[in-house]
Amino acid sequence: MGTLDKLRPVVDDTISASARARFRTDPIGGERYSRQTSIISSAYKRHGQILERALRERLSESEYFTVWHEPEFRVSDIADRAINGRNSDIPDGGLIELPYGDPARTIQVDSFVYDSRIKSLRAYEIKRGNGHFDAGKKRSILRDVLCTQSLLRSYGSATGLDISIAEARVICYFGVRALPPPLSLVAEDLDDHFVFSVKSHVERVNQYFQEQLYMLLEGINSQTQLDFDGLCATCPIKGRPQSVH
């Protein structure tokens, strides 16, 4: 079963949930455009979760990879203080390695990938990467990535993994990087990074999600017509024939 086959039910459920979602009609947008805006806004957020799942599912199809995610990766106070004490512009946190365990706070790690070919353990935060982050958000992402990397070797060793490489990265799939390389990856980097075909399989999932979303929006267009009666007499579109696209 391919990546799209695994994700198709997830996409279908997501689209169905969007179709059922309640929304507030905006006085300017009216019912049709308010609903469309609500659905599209929701789709952007829900697509982030689908993208995470698609990447994990595709990577798990490699015989060399062990893939999992951790919703509560423990970050110690020592790690936070060690990272905060360094220059915020440092490109890599590889020189700091600390013991994993003490939970001063937790963060979600979207994907761990252990590659048995080279004994690497890598941790990834996965973002759509289609919008710019402000300076504060970038600092927060950098802090989490470097903290994760400082604890990663200890975390993996505690699970019995033999690790030669331990790295944390953020994947900004659509190309707007939250951090500079090498700490961030975009879609075009993934095949070479993993030495495994990734992008084309994820793109099939993205295309299916887009197709289903468009069908939902077109269904709204066909069911809801603009109400021109409330427009003022001087409005340039008053009296024009209504069209449904």
Side-chain angles (χ1 to χ4, degrees):
M1 181 181 292
T3 306
L4 176 56
D5 294 326
K6 296 175 184 175
L7 269 294
R8 198 185 302 272
V10 177
V11 172
D12 292 345
D13 288 345
T14 299
I15 295 297
S16 295
S18 296
R20 296 192 304 268
R22 295 184 177 182
F23 64 96
R24 182 178 177 85
T25 300
D26 186 89
I28 298 300
E31 181 180 356
R32 180 170 73 170
Y33 290 126
S34 295
R35 187 178 182 196
Q36 287 181 337
T37 300
S38 176
I39 287 173
I40 291 174
S41 177
S42 175
Y44 293 160
K45 296 175 184 177
R46 294 171 186 266
H47 177 250
Q49 298 174 346
I50 290 173
L51 183 60
E52 290 177 23
R53 178 78 176 271
L55 283 165
R56 284 199 301 267
E57 290 290 353
R58 175 53 188 162
L59 292 170
S60 68
E61 291 166 9
S62 169
E63 62 180 305
Y64 303 108
F65 297 157
T66 303
V67 182
W68 70 100
H69 74 287
E70 175 56 70
E72 294 185 347
F73 184 82
R74 300 195 294 271
V75 176
S76 64
D77 182 62
I78 293 175
D80 265 335
R81 286 190 280 111
I83 296 303
N84 287 338
R86 302 186 72 186
N87 190 313
S88 62
D89 293 327
I90 56 176
D92 201 322
L95 297 179
I96 296 179
E97 291 191 351
L98 298 168
Y100 178 79
D102 295 334
R105 65 185 179 99
T106 62
I107 59 177
Q108 175 174 299
V109 177
D110 298 323
S111 183
F112 289 102
V113 181
Y114 180 73
D115 187 341
S116 62
R117 296 171 296 184
I118 57 175
K119 298 181 179 179
S120 66
L121 177 62
R122 294 185 169 101
Y124 301 93
E125 182 175 354
I126 301 171
K127 296 187 176 298
R128 297 182 75 239
N130 196 47
H132 293 282
F133 298 97
D134 61 31
K137 183 60 176 178
K138 287 182 178 179
R139 285 193 295 270
S140 176
I141 293 171
L142 176 62
R143 174 192 180 199
D144 286 348
V145 167
L146 296 183
C147 282
T148 299
Q149 179 153 332
S150 72
L151 300 165
L152 190 56
R153 189 180 297 274
S154 174
Y155 167 82
S157 297
T159 65
L161 295 175
D162 182 11
I163 301 171
S164 62
I165 300 171
E167 296 177 338
R169 299 289 184 260
V170 55
I171 296 175
C172 302
Y173 189 85
F174 288 122
V176 181
R177 295 180 187 267
L179 300 176
L183 291 179
S184 67
L185 303 164
V186 298
E188 288 71 19
D189 301 328
L190 298 181
D191 290 1
D192 288 341
H193 176 75
F194 290 108
V195 195
F196 184 66
S197 176
V198 176
K199 181 185 175 184
S200 62
H201 297 266
V202 175
E203 282 302 302
R204 293 188 190 108
V205 176
N206 288 341
Q207 182 178 2
Y208 180 70
F209 181 81
Q210 184 185 59
E211 290 170 353
Q212 299 306 303
L213 174 63
Y214 285 7
M215 287 177 61
L216 174 59
L217 295 174
E218 288 170 3
I220 295 172
N221 280 340
S222 66
Q223 295 171 13
T224 309
Q225 294 187 343
L226 290 171
D227 180 7
F228 290 99
D229 293 338
L231 298 177
C232 65
T234 59
C235 178
I237 64 172
K238 177 89 171 178
R240 289 184 184 176
Q242 297 184 27
S243 61
V244 177
H245 300 285

